């Protein structure tokens, strides 16, 4: 009743039920809970009974009190549980907040450390890049210095080799050179007046050649010497070369003629040549004093600067690739021929070679273009040599200008071929050529008739030197050679301006090897040249695999296509040189294989060959310009049968 009145609940008058309900919801305080048991005990233990004064309880009230008792007894425990659970939740929430705070603090610290670590790494990376740049610059300087020393030594060797060659030429000129059968009755120790005159003319010709070459050599030597001194003076760091690398460098400078070719020092009659002619001069057998001085101050870098490691690695990769397409008897070598570095393939037959065959390629080709013919020639017992011509692939490609176009002239090529033969220790050779290579072998036979015994060409007819000059443009416009219209584009410089990257070079080669669009439109025409707008649309040529075309593109990308196109700019230089030729007839046996479908060099261009080549054999193959690849079996059979026939009939000094 106290609680009800305190809460302001109105109490109905004279209502026992209401009082019972009100007493059921009362939450007693602490004092009331402790006093109730005492009061009930007093009532039970009272000495007098008040039963008469109390109203008896009904059964419904008793049962209602029994059901309400648990509610009144469990409510405090439930409140206590809620308090405990609230405290626990508060504690967990605090722990979570504290953990999040710690995570935030640790993350901030880690970000600062990462930033500091990143700055340190950037500084280290910049330092390493700077060191790499300095190292590359040092490599360039060392290579530049080494090349200057090598050029200086090469000049000494070239001069001495030229003197030896001149002395041998002059000595040979004093002997009668004839293939005629001897007469039955004559005194062998006496010469006829005509023979005396021939010897005299031979001597005069040899002396003229010696004087001309000596006059050309001196100015070139002085100019190269000045360049070498300037290059040596600008070098900061000199290379260090160990003894094994010195031997390799000397071998490459001298050429392969001093190692592995002793069996070639004899000719077909068993006569031996002077082996000392192939031995390098004493100043090349040891490192020069100037070079030794530069080697003292150079720290050991593993020999990486000798001959430019990058270039040598490319050479090894190219050789590994060549082995996949060529006979295992073939290897790739390098040498210097009259101050120009050449790359060439050489194949050794089993036993002593019966003769030596030089193979020359054209445009756009490489020495590996003879890959189908080299094994056949090796099986026949020939020593085979196939150089990459000047301007192509790994061989040097002098840029014109500033260099002279004379580097690409037939006269210069003839001298380089003669020097390569000398290094290999052979005195007579068989020449084979295709495209520009065919023009080369004809001119070598005119300039150096004593070097050549046989000639075979594929697709290329012989055109005798003329006494009057006509430019290529005049010849094309006059209608004499309309099929040479493409050469005007090649010589103009338009193509090399448009074709720069390796990918563009690959597209160009694909077009030149017969690539066409899906509509059948060709990428190349002999009258107009390369169709530049069609190059990206061309399908792959059927003449070679993707891998082989990639190899060609890699080789051409070394020096670009400028050097290869200089061959179409040498017409006037060749004309001036050939004015000195007194003989335009080729008297050695010649095999000409014409391709009936060749549009660039049609068989009709060979009509006048019989007039200038008395020992001419004509053969035809029903194919296009790339006969070496399209019909290799037929071409090989023709060459094999002709070589067997001519070399057996004529016992020449091969």
């Amino acid at each position: 009743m106290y609680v009800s009145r305190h809460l302001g609940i109105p109490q109905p008058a004279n209502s026992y039920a209401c009082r019972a309900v009100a007493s059921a919801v009362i939450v007693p305080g602490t004092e009331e809970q402790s006093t109730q048991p005492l009061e009930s005990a007093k009532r039970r233990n009272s000495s007098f009974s008040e039963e008469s004064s109390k109203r008896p309880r009904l059964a419904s009230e008793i049962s209602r009190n029994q059901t309400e008792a648990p509610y009144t007894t469990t409510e405090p425990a439930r409140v206590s549980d809620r308090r405990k659970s609230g405290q626990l939740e508060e504690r967990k929430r605090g722990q979570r907040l504290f953990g999040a705070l710690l995570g935030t603090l640790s993350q901030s610290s880690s970000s600062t450390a990462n930033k500091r670590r990143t700055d340190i790494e950037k500084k280290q990376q910049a330092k390493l890049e700077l060191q790499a740049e300095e190292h590359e610059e040092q490599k360039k300087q060392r290579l530049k210095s080494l090349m200057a020393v090598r050029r200086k030594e090469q000049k000494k060797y070239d001069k001495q080799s030229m003197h030896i060659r001149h002395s041998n030429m002059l000595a040979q000129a004093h002997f009668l050179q004839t293939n005629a059968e001897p007469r039955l009755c004559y005194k062998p120790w006496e010469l006829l007046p005509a023979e005396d005159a021939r010897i005299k003319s031979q001597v005069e010709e040899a002396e003229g050649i010696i004087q001309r070459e000596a006059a050309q050599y001196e100015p070139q030597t002085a100019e190269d010497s000045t360049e070498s001194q300037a290059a040596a003076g600008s070098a900061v760091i000199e290379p260090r070369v160990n003894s094994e690398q010195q031997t390799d460098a000397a071998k490459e400078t001298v050429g392969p003629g001093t190692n592995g070719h002793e069996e070639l020092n004899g000719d077909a009659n068993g006569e031996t040549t002077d082996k000392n002619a192939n031995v390098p001069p004493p100043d090349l057998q040891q490192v020069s004093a100037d070079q030794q001085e530069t080697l003292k101050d150079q720290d050991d870098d593993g020999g990486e600067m000798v001959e430019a490691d990058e270039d040598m690695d490319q050479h090894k990769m190219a050789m590994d690739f060549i082995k996949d397409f060529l006979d295992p008897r073939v290897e790739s070598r390098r040498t210097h021929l009259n101050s120009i570095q050449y790359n060439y393939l050489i194949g050794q037959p089993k036993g002593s070679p019966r003769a030596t065959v030089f193979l020359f390629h054209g445009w756009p080709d490489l020495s590996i273009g003879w890959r189908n013919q080299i094994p056949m020639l090796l099986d026949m017992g020939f020593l085979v040599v196939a150089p990459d011509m000047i301007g192509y692939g790994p061989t040097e490609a002098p840029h014109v200008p500033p260099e002279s176009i004379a580097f690409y002239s037939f006269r210069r090529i003839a001298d380089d071929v003669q020097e390569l033969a000398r290094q290999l220790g052979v005195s007579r050779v068989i020449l084979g050529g295709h495209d520009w290579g065919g023009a080369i072998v004809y001119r070598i036979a005119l300039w150096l008739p004593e070097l050549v015994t046989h000639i075979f060409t594929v697709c290329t007819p012989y055109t005798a030197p003329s006494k009057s000059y006509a430019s290529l443009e005049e010849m094309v416009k006059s209608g004499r050679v309309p099929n040479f219209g493409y050469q005007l584009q090649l010589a103009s410089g338009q193509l090399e301006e448009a074709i720069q990257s390796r990918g563009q070079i690959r597209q160009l080669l694909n077009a030149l090897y017969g690539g066409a669009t899906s509509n059948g439109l060709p990428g190349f025409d002999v009258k107009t040249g390369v169709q530049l707008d069609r190059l990206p649309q061309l399908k792959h040529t059927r003449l070679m695999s993707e891998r082989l075309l990639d190899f060609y593109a890699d080789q051409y990308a070394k020096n670009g296509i400028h050097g290869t196109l200089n061959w179409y700019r040498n017409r006037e230089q060749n004309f001036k040189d050939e004015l000195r030729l007194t003989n335009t007839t080729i008297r050695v046996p010649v095999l000409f294989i014409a391709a009936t479908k060749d549009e660039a060099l049609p068989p009709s261009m060979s009509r006048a060959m019989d007039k200038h080549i008395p020992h001419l054999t004509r053969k035809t193959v029903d194919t296009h310009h790339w006969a070496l690849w399209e019909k290799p079996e037929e071409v090989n059979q023709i060459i094999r049968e002709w070589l067997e026939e001519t070399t057996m009939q004529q016992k020449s000094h091969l």
Side-chain angles (χ1 to χ4, degrees):
M1 293 297 291
Y2 172 79
V3 175
S4 300
R5 287 193 300 269
H6 181 73
L7 294 176
I9 300 174
Q11 300 291 326
N14 301 324
S15 177
Y16 179 81
C18 291
R19 288 194 301 269
V21 172
S23 63
V25 296
I26 293 174
V27 180
T30 306
E31 296 179 356
E32 294 177 354
Q33 291 179 356
S34 59
T35 57
Q36 281 182 356
L38 296 176
E39 293 177 353
S40 61
K42 288 180 180 180
R43 289 176 181 176
R44 286 194 298 268
N45 298 328
S46 177
S47 57
F48 59 92
S49 174
E50 298 179 352
E51 294 294 333
S52 60
S53 62
K54 294 182 179 179
R55 182 183 61 84
R57 294 186 177 183
L58 300 177
S60 59
E61 294 180 357
I62 296 173
S63 61
R64 185 169 58 249
N65 290 338
Q66 290 177 353
T67 57
E68 291 177 354
Y71 174 79
T72 57
T73 56
T74 58
E75 186 67 21
R78 184 175 300 176
V79 172
S80 177
D81 291 341
R82 281 200 297 268
R83 289 177 180 175
K84 290 181 180 180
S85 62
Q87 294 176 357
L88 182 61
E89 289 296 331
E90 287 293 333
R91 187 182 298 108
K92 290 183 179 180
R93 183 170 178 271
Q95 290 176 352
R96 287 196 299 270
L97 291 175
F98 184 71
L101 178 61
L102 290 180
T104 303
L105 294 177
S106 62
Q107 184 176 4
S108 175
S109 176
S110 176
S111 299
T112 304
N114 288 336
K115 183 177 181 181
R116 187 182 300 109
R117 189 181 302 109
T118 303
D119 294 339
I120 295 174
E121 291 177 354
K122 288 182 179 179
K123 292 180 181 179
Q124 291 292 338
Q125 186 66 24
K127 184 177 179 181
L128 292 176
E129 291 178 356
L130 181 61
Q131 292 177 352
E133 292 177 358
E134 293 177 353
H135 182 64
E136 289 296 329
E137 184 64 25
Q138 292 175 359
K139 287 173 63 177
K140 292 179 181 179
Q141 294 293 341
R142 288 194 291 264
L143 178 60
K144 188 175 181 180
S145 175
L146 178 60
M147 294 305 297
V149 174
R150 286 197 56 188
R151 281 194 294 267
K152 180 179 178 181
E153 298 301 324
Q154 180 68 30
K155 294 305 174 184
K156 296 179 182 179
Y157 175 63
D158 289 343
K159 184 176 182 180
Q160 185 166 352
S161 63
M162 184 182 69
H163 290 165
I164 295 174
R165 180 162 50 85
H166 288 170
S167 62
N168 292 338
M169 184 187 303
L170 194 59
Q172 187 178 7
H174 285 82
F175 290 88
L176 184 64
Q177 300 177 12
T178 177
N179 292 327
E181 295 292 337
R183 294 179 300 170
L184 296 178
C185 299
Y186 79 108
K187 297 178 181 180
W189 58 88
E190 294 181 358
L191 295 176
L192 298 177
E195 295 172 341
D196 283 330
R198 288 183 59 185
I199 291 179
K200 184 178 180 180
S201 65
Q202 292 174 180
V203 173
E204 292 176 353
E205 182 181 0
E207 290 176 348
I209 294 175
I210 292 172
Q211 293 177 0
R212 183 171 63 255
E213 291 184 355
Q216 295 175 353
Y217 179 79
E218 294 300 334
Q220 182 180 1
T221 304
E223 182 180 353
D224 292 341
S225 177
T226 304
E227 294 178 357
S228 300
Q229 292 177 0
S234 62
V236 178
I237 300 178
E238 304 295 341
R240 177 187 180 97
V241 187
N242 56 35
S243 59
E244 183 176 334
Q245 293 166 341
Q246 293 168 6
T247 305
D248 296 339
K251 286 182 180 179
E252 182 170 353
T253 303
V254 176
T258 60
N259 185 16
H261 293 289
E262 291 80 0
E263 68 276 8
L264 301 179
N265 290 331
D267 57 18
N269 290 338
E271 298 176 357
T272 58
T273 59
D274 185 8
K275 294 184 178 180
N276 293 329
N278 292 329
V279 179
D283 57 351
L284 277 184
Q285 295 178 0
Q286 297 179 353
V287 181
S288 65
D290 295 339
Q291 190 173 358
Q292 290 178 355
E293 187 68 22
T294 61
L295 299 181
K296 293 180 181 179
D297 301 329
Q298 174 61 35
D299 56 344
D300 186 7
D301 56 3
E304 62 181 358
M305 302 319 304
V306 178
E307 290 303 309
D309 282 345
E310 294 83 0
D311 191 39
M312 294 303 297
D313 291 341
Q314 293 179 358
H315 178 67
K316 292 179 180 178
M317 292 174 62
M319 188 58 212
D320 293 340
F321 180 87
I322 288 173
K323 289 180 179 178
D324 296 338
F325 288 90
L326 286 176
D327 192 284
R329 295 168 289 181
V330 180
E331 61 176 311
S332 178
R333 295 183 183 177
R334 292 185 178 181
T335 187
H336 279 80
L337 304 176
N338 300 319
S339 76
I340 294 294
Q341 179 175 275
Y342 273 80
N343 184 81
Y344 66 96
L345 302 177
I346 183 169
Q348 296 277 5
K350 292 183 179 179
S352 179
R354 57 189 291 189
T356 301
V357 179
F358 278 24
L359 302 174
F360 301 92
H361 67 83
W363 186 88
D365 204 353
L366 296 166
S367 58
I368 197 176
W370 292 93
R371 59 189 175 276
N372 297 316
Q373 288 70 43
I374 292 177
M376 178 268 296
L377 295 171
L378 291 175
D379 293 338
M380 294 181 66
F382 293 106
L383 173 70
V384 182
V385 179
D388 288 308
M389 303 310 298
I390 186 171
Y392 291 83
T395 298
E396 286 190 44
H399 199 283
V400 181
E403 301 294 345
S404 172
I405 194 64
F407 278 105
Y408 298 87
S409 66
F410 290 137
R411 182 70 183 97
R412 170 62 189 245
I413 300 302
D415 291 339
D416 293 345
V417 172
Q418 186 180 39
E419 174 63 16
L420 180 58
R422 187 199 64 78
Q423 291 184 11
L424 294 174
V426 295
S427 58
R428 310 292 300 278
V429 295
I430 300 172
L431 302 180
H434 171 255
D435 193 76
W436 272 112
I440 290 171
V441 301
Y442 291 136
R443 261 41 185 187
I444 294 176
L446 295 180
W447 286 110
L448 303 171
E450 71 281 358
L451 180 67
V452 184
T453 63
H454 297 74
I455 292 175
F456 62 88
T457 64
V458 182
C459 297
T460 312
Y462 172 66
T463 303
S466 175
K467 295 299 182 182
S468 60
Y469 176 72
S471 66
L472 178 63
E473 186 176 5
E474 293 173 352
M475 296 180 64
V476 173
K477 290 184 177 180
S478 65
R480 294 169 56 185
V481 282
N483 49 299
F484 281 1
Y486 71 95
Q487 297 187 11
L488 295 176
Q489 181 196 40
L490 303 184
S492 66
Q494 172 191 356
L495 198 60
E496 55 202 90
E497 292 179 0
I499 305 298
Q500 297 285 339
S501 66
R502 179 200 174 276
Q504 293 173 331
I505 292 176
R506 191 182 189 278
Q507 291 178 346
L508 171 66
L509 296 175
N510 186 42
L512 296 170
Y513 299 150
T517 65
S518 57
N519 298 329
L521 298 177
F524 173 77
D525 182 80
V526 295
K527 294 184 179 180
T528 58
V530 180
Q531 309 300 312
L532 295 174
D533 58 331
R534 297 178 186 171
L535 294 185
Q537 308 169 16
L538 300 180
K539 292 185 176 181
H540 183 71
T541 175
R542 60 180 178 81
L543 289 180
M544 60 174 58
S545 63
E546 293 273 2
R547 185 164 176 249
L548 186 56
L549 184 59
D550 287 336
F551 174 77
Y552 269 71
D554 292 338
Q555 296 302 303
Y556 270 70
K558 292 179 183 295
N559 298 310
I561 64 174
H562 170 80
T564 66
L565 299 181
N566 282 333
W567 286 83
Y568 295 93
R569 306 181 180 112
N570 63 1
R571 182 176 180 80
E572 185 175 0
Q573 181 65 44
N574 288 331
F575 169 76
K576 294 178 180 179
D577 292 340
E578 292 169 0
L579 290 176
R580 294 177 290 172
L581 288 172
T582 58
N583 180 32
T584 60
T585 300
I586 300 177
R587 302 192 179 278
V588 298
V590 175
L591 169 65
F592 170 60
I593 304 176
T596 59
K597 300 178 182 178
D598 191 346
E599 297 180 355
L601 298 171
S604 59
M605 296 182 64
S606 66
R607 285 192 296 261
M609 288 182 63
D610 300 87
K611 179 181 177 181
H612 301 281
I613 305 177
H615 305 290
L616 176 64
T617 302
R618 292 177 177 268
K619 297 292 182 178
T620 59
V621 178
D622 186 20
T623 186
H624 302 82
H625 181 73
W626 301 106
L628 298 178
W629 309 343
E630 293 178 297
K631 295 293 182 69
E633 295 82 6
E634 295 183 28
V635 172
N636 289 357
Q637 182 178 359
I638 293 173
I639 295 175
R640 183 190 302 107
E641 293 176 354
W642 179 79
L643 285 175
E644 290 289 357
E645 180 181 357
T646 55
T647 56
M648 290 299 295
Q649 288 180 354
Q650 297 186 4
K651 299 182 182 295
S652 303
H653 298 286
L654 302 181

